[in-house]
């Protein structure tokens, strides 16, 4: 299972990027920070990162991805 974040720009599906372990810090299944530069806005978040099942984001969606230009 993948968590998909799909953003359509001008009715064209943009290139996608799948988060890697090095892009995030995961603590107890929660993504607490993200270092990805969000050059690509169509982000796929795998079910497992850094050996942990991803269950959420610190501070909710806006806490981990606020000001990234994707929401």
């Amino acid at each position: 299972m993948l968590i998909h974040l799909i953003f359509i720009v001008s009715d064209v599906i943009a290139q996608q990027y799948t988060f890697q372990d090095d892009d995030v810090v995961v603590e107890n299944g929660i993504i607490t920070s993200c270092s990805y530069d969000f050059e690509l806005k169509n982000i796929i978040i795998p079910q497992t990162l850094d050996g942990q099942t991803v269950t959420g984001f610190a501070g909710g969606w806006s806490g981990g991805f606020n000001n990234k230009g994707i929401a």
Side-chain angles (χ1 to χ4, degrees):
M1 179 178 124
L2 295 176
I3 301 169
H4 292 274
L5 306 176
I6 299 174
F7 299 92
I8 300 176
V9 179
S10 302
D11 297 325
V12 176
I13 297 177
Q15 290 181 327
Q16 65 186 20
Y17 179 78
T18 301
F19 275 166
Q20 306 297 309
D21 290 343
D22 291 343
D23 296 323
V24 295
V25 174
V26 182
E27 297 176 8
N28 298 316
I30 304 296
I31 296 176
T32 59
S33 68
C34 179
S35 61
Y36 176 65
D37 65 9
F38 288 86
E39 178 180 340
L40 297 175
K41 305 296 184 190
N42 185 3
I43 306 297
I44 297 173
I45 302 171
Q47 181 179 3
T48 303
L49 284 167
D50 200 22
Q52 301 176 53
T53 299
V54 175
T55 59
F57 309 99
W61 173 253
S62 63
F65 299 95
N66 198 24
N67 298 320
K68 302 293 185 185
I70 60 172

